[in-house]
Amino acid sequence: MWKFKNKDAFEECIKDLLADSSVQEMRHIPQHTKNISCLDHSIFVAYLSFLICRRFHLDYKAGARGGLLHDLFLYNWRDKEHEGHHLFNHPKIALKNASEQFELTDKEKDCIVKHMWPVTKKLPKYRESFIVGCADKICAALEMMRLFRVFGVQAKLCAAV
Ligand SMILES: [Fe+2]
Ligand SMILES: [Fe+2]
């Protein structure tokens, strides 16, 4: 099921982001489930967004980069101080952190800040933003069902980049 032929093109889209220390910091931030870091999740979302955008002849670079940065909130959301607000606030925090580190296109910014739609109200402006939001939900569900490892995503993708 897991096709890997696009890996080189994917890496070309995100290699400068991956070299950044704030992106690498996500390696130490937990996400939806045990043993899958925020960076693992973000790479998964980035790759799925990249594949879908490429399939439909959309801006796959924006999908990959927006996907990689969509959860750059850089704190443990299970800590009490973030309880109740994280769901709504983290896209804005991720956008702020990402904007401080990188020159982002409007499309990349929209992918980050709208990825929680429809939980957050503002509609995605671009098809790529909608795709990143869908990829995020699919990846989160696969991670929580423990299918992340069954399909070898972590071993093949996250360990490789
Ligand atoms: Fe998120
Ligand atoms: Fe996410």
Side-chain angles (χ1 to χ4, degrees):
M1 151 165 187
W2 188 254
K3 289 189 177 145
F4 221 57
K5 61 183 180 183
N6 294 304
K7 186 171 165 289
D8 289 346
F10 173 62
E11 282 182 10
E12 195 57 35
C13 293
I14 60 162
K15 65 181 180 187
D16 61 312
L17 305 182
L18 275 176
D20 184 83
S21 58
S22 58
V23 171
Q24 287 298 320
E25 210 180 314
M26 289 197 285
R27 207 178 277 285
H28 308 292
I29 309 259
Q31 233 325 356
H32 306 106
T33 189
K34 205 177 161 193
N35 297 330
I36 298 174
S37 71
C38 195
L39 183 59
D40 293 336
H41 164 72
S42 299
I43 292 170
F44 192 16
V45 172
Y47 192 60
L48 185 57
S49 302
F50 165 87
L51 288 180
I52 298 170
C53 288
R54 208 162 186 204
R55 171 70 184 79
F56 292 103
H57 308 289
L58 298 172
D59 185 348
Y60 58 82
K61 189 174 177 184
R65 294 172 73 84
L68 187 67
L69 300 173
H70 82 285
D71 275 343
L72 193 74
F73 46 82
L74 302 177
Y75 56 78
N76 184 347
W77 58 269
R78 288 181 178 83
D79 288 348
K80 276 208 162 51
E81 62 189 289
H82 302 291
E83 247 176 38
H85 304 290
H86 171 75
L87 203 62
F88 304 101
N89 290 345
H90 79 273
K92 287 183 204 154
I93 296 168
L95 177 60
K96 180 177 177 292
N97 290 340
S99 301
E100 284 171 3
Q101 297 298 323
F102 310 107
E103 283 287 332
L104 302 173
T105 65
D106 284 350
K107 212 175 265 183
E108 289 163 359
K109 289 179 187 171
D110 202 66
C111 288
I112 297 167
V113 80
K114 307 277 180 66
H115 81 267
M116 286 302 289
W117 181 83
V119 174
T120 52
K121 287 195 177 132
K122 282 197 175 171
L123 273 170
K125 187 174 172 186
Y126 304 99
R127 283 173 290 185
E128 290 82 353
S129 320
F130 178 74
I131 287 168
V132 169
C134 291
D136 182 38
K137 288 154 190 71
I138 292 167
C139 294
L142 290 173
E143 289 162 30
M144 286 187 275
M145 289 188 289
R146 313 281 179 199
L147 294 174
F148 189 71
R149 280 212 194 74
V150 173
F151 294 139
V153 178
Q154 195 169 32
K156 289 179 183 167
L157 190 57
C158 301
V161 293

